Amino acid sequence: MIDPRFLAGLGVLVLLTISPGADMALVAKVTIERGRRAAFLTSLGICSGLLVHATASALGLSVILATSAEAFTIVKLAGAAYLAYLGVQSLRASFGPAPEAPSGRPVVGGRSFLVGVLNNVLNPKVAVFYLTFLPQFIDPAGSVLAQSLAFALAHALMGIAWLSGYAYVVARISRRFAGGRVRRWLERMTGAVLIALGARLVFERR
């Protein structure tokens, strides 16, 4: 029989997964610039980062971020700088030469995957979430690492499904307006959102 606490935790993870944020903005950026295949690889990278956070939380490594203001600030600033960098890339692309259709661009799998991993791992709020929130739904009598990884795996599967569906919608819109003003507007919007999320990460308290 499945532990009711585990089911309750899954319900919360569903709400967290569909909440707009940096992950969705990044997937929109990659979809517009490089297509759905690259966006899927980026989604895999994002969700792989959840396993890193779950393992760090179970091993107690995330305590450093939760208790050390210096460590938290360093990771926070690194994450904010990375989001701003991605946002600037989108803005530059939107003001550059007319973009090609995504299907005509080669997909660099490793790069697309790594972009997703860094976006997730450099977000200290995810680490603190896994450290402070998920333990409420873990049975202390069982293996903390195994249960943490089970939550992360479930979260990752939700994320892949949700972000893949989101990328499909963005790709349809982008394809419909490929090469036009709407597509450039979408690139500028995703760039502005990524920069705004980076700025918010800097000024938000944990």
Side-chain angles (χ1 to χ4, degrees):
M1 183 176 178
I2 301 179
D3 190 333
R5 285 178 295 187
F6 184 77
L7 294 177
L10 291 181
V12 174
L13 289 178
V14 169
L15 297 177
L16 180 65
T17 299
I18 64 177
S19 299
D23 293 342
M24 291 180 65
L26 176 60
V27 169
K29 166 188 163 21
V30 174
T31 303
I32 294 169
E33 293 180 356
R34 283 177 277 166
R36 283 176 58 195
R37 182 184 171 194
F40 177 72
L41 293 172
T42 297
S43 299
L44 284 179
I46 290 172
C47 295
S48 296
L50 297 174
L51 299 177
V52 175
H53 287 299
T55 302
S57 175
L59 297 178
L61 299 179
S62 295
V63 174
I64 298 174
L65 285 179
T67 59
S68 171
E70 291 79 9
F72 185 87
T73 300
I74 290 172
V75 177
K76 181 176 72 170
L77 292 177
Y82 187 63
L83 287 175
Y85 165 74
L86 294 175
V88 169
Q89 277 191 324
S90 281
L91 290 177
R92 290 181 61 187
S94 72
F95 287 103
E100 302 174 9
S103 58
R105 299 185 180 187
V107 175
V108 183
R111 178 186 173 189
S112 298
F113 180 82
L114 183 60
V115 164
V117 172
L118 290 176
N119 185 69
N120 190 282
V121 172
L122 291 178
N123 188 343
K125 296 174 73 175
V126 178
V128 173
F129 170 82
Y130 267 80
L131 176 68
T132 60
F133 183 80
L134 283 188
Q136 302 176 51
F137 303 98
I138 288 179
D139 182 3
S143 169
V144 174
L145 178 59
Q147 293 178 80
S148 296
L149 290 177
F151 268 117
L153 181 59
H155 194 185
L157 293 175
M158 295 176 196
I160 291 172
W162 174 255
L163 293 175
S164 295
Y166 176 66
Y168 173 78
V169 173
V170 173
R172 289 290 298 270
I173 296 174
S174 178
R175 191 179 304 116
R176 182 179 180 87
F177 300 102
R181 294 181 179 179
V182 174
R183 187 174 171 195
R184 289 184 180 275
W185 179 82
L186 288 172
E187 287 183 329
R188 290 169 190 170
M189 283 296 296
T190 56
V193 168
L194 286 167
I195 293 173
L197 289 171
R200 189 180 73 173
L201 188 59
V202 170
F203 293 107
E204 271 189 348
R205 298 181 179 180
R206 71 174 83 183

